[in-house]
Amino acid sequence: MRERLARAARSMRPRDRYQVVQSLKAAGAAVVAWAVTGWWLEAPMALMAPWAAVALVQGTVYRSLRSAVQLFLMIAAGTLMAAGAALLTGNTMTALLIALPPAVLLGNWARAGGQGLYAPTTALFVLAYGSYSLPAVGHRLLETVVGAAVGIAVNALVLPPVHSQHVNKLAYALPRDCARLLGELSEGIREGYDEERAERWYRSAGDMLGALAELRTARGWASESFRLNPGHRLRRRTPAPSDAWDVLWARVGDRLLTLTLWEAASERRRLPRPPTGALAGLSELLSAAAEVCVVEQEVMEHGPDEERRGRRDAHLAAAHRAFTGTKEYLRGSDFDANTSLGSLLAGCRALLDDLTPEKEEGGRRTAAG
């Protein structure tokens, strides 16, 4: 049984492991908060402490601290509204009619964030339990503070969450996905393509831009996860590529949108396809560019060396030779064919410019141009 659990843990994806760890931490924090308030302090409504503890085992320590302030303010507001309405009216139904509208309105306030729901729900709990005397209100707030402290402590001291590995995974996937799409384009041009196939390439290029947006979000999480995190120095951290890496591959992704041949393949546009010889040159060019992307991924993961620099320079030189040879087909007299081929060559030239490195610092590539 123990061996099966160990194998299951090793086969689990990092994101799944993170969810399991955070879930177990939240459950543990709730138990500790309940024990402190229910057994030790003998609080009359110990539910508030584990409720707050679960809510504050957040994705980052900084977010736990920020959310703690919001949660306490919402619970305090809901408690005071409910207690005040009940003491004023002496009737639970009437108190609900008075306290819930402003509590819900406060909960929907944008600055309350995800903790806004706690204002109306706390008001409901207070009125449902019928505990709205001054000592009872004091207990509600004390239980909330204890639960918040337990939730923050557990999140900060027990495997504090760090998200840098997800950034690296997404960043390294960019050149790999570019290489794959460029290889498909090269093969498709060589074997023949239709509008449906070209549209699939276009969607794949669009997915790359979506991956860049996901990378930007992941960078925000990674940066936040190291703020106020007392255990981040004890966790293994792989240096992430700089923001210039994102800029570079955003440019490459834009180029790929124009190189998917969707415009030339579209029956609605009625553009003639480039000559067969030109397509062969484009296929060779894109194949060489794909190999450059492969080398770029290796450089990012393992750092540059002479062998990788040599392979990258050789592939870039082959791509430029193919580009020069393909330009010769622009000398024909068919204006529409020249327009179709010229737009593709313009995209190829921009792609090669982006893939040509300007400099490398500390074993990491900086953005071109």
Side-chain angles (χ1 to χ4, degrees), residues 172-251:
Y172 296 162
L174 292 174
R176 182 194 65 212
D177 292 344
C178 284
R180 176 186 52 78
L181 181 55
L182 285 166
E184 291 178 4
L185 284 168
S186 175
E187 182 180 352
I189 291 173
R190 188 168 56 250
E191 296 176 351
Y193 62 93
D194 55 18
E195 183 175 2
E196 181 180 355
R197 192 173 187 183
E199 188 173 353
R200 285 200 303 270
W201 293 333
Y202 188 84
R203 286 198 299 267
S204 295
D207 290 342
M208 283 192 54
L209 298 180
L212 281 162
E214 186 180 354
L215 175 57
R216 284 192 290 271
T217 301
R219 283 190 184 278
W221 274 97
S223 176
E224 185 180 299
S225 70
F226 283 92
R227 296 177 65 181
L228 305 176
N229 189 334
H232 76 272
R233 296 183 183 278
L234 303 178
R235 303 289 298 277
R236 184 176 65 181
R237 182 184 184 187
T238 305
S242 68
D243 293 343
W245 180 259
D246 303 2
V247 175
L248 169 65
W249 293 101
R251 291 176 180 173

Side-chain angles (χ1 to χ4, degrees), residues 9-82:
R10 286 193 297 268
S11 63
M12 194 177 297
R13 294 177 302 176
R15 185 66 182 173
D16 294 335
R17 285 198 296 269
Y18 161 77
Q19 294 292 352
V20 170
V21 169
Q22 290 297 101
S23 299
L24 292 176
K25 286 166 59 177
V31 171
V32 172
W34 182 280
V36 170
T37 55
W39 292 351
W40 184 35
L41 298 179
E42 297 182 352
M45 194 176 173
L47 170 67
M48 304 299 292
W51 193 28
V54 169
L56 293 179
V57 179
Q58 298 268 331
T60 67
V61 175
Y62 169 77
R63 190 157 298 203
S64 291
L65 290 166
R66 187 185 66 184
S67 298
V69 176
Q70 297 171 333
L71 181 142
F72 179 78
L73 291 176
M74 292 299 104
I75 288 180
T79 299
L80 294 174
M81 288 180 188

Side-chain angles (χ1 to χ4, degrees), residues 108-189:
N108 289 330
W109 185 36
R111 292 187 180 180
Q115 313 307 318
L117 180 65
Y118 290 96
T121 51
T122 301
L124 286 171
F125 282 143
V126 169
L127 292 173
Y129 271 79
S131 54
Y132 37 77
S133 63
L134 186 60
V137 169
H139 268 292
R140 297 300 81 73
L141 301 182
L142 175 61
E143 293 153 17
T144 301
V145 170
V146 171
V150 170
I152 293 170
V154 168
N155 202 36
L157 301 177
V158 180
L159 296 176
V162 175
H163 300 280
S164 61
Q165 290 185 354
H166 189 49
V167 173
N168 291 330
K169 179 181 177 182
L170 291 172
Y172 296 162
L174 292 174
R176 182 194 65 212
D177 292 344
C178 284
R180 176 186 52 78
L181 181 55
L182 285 166
E184 291 178 4
L185 284 168
S186 175
E187 182 180 352
I189 291 173

Side-chain angles (χ1 to χ4, degrees), residues 311-335:
R311 280 195 291 131
R312 181 177 61 196
D313 293 344
H315 292 310
L316 280 171
H320 281 287
R321 286 195 299 270
F323 177 83
T324 301
T326 307
K327 279 200 307 182
E328 297 297 322
Y329 290 90
L330 288 174
R331 297 180 178 180
S333 58
D334 189 333
F335 176 79

Side-chain angles (χ1 to χ4, degrees), residues 281-290 292 311-328 345-357 368:
L282 285 172
S283 175
E284 182 181 348
L285 188 158
L286 295 176
S287 177
V292 174
R311 280 195 291 131
R312 181 177 61 196
D313 293 344
H315 292 310
L316 280 171
H320 281 287
R321 286 195 299 270
F323 177 83
T324 301
T326 307
K327 279 200 307 182
E328 297 297 322
L345 286 174
C348 288
R349 179 55 186 267
L351 174 66
L352 295 180
D353 287 344
D354 290 334
L355 291 178
T356 301

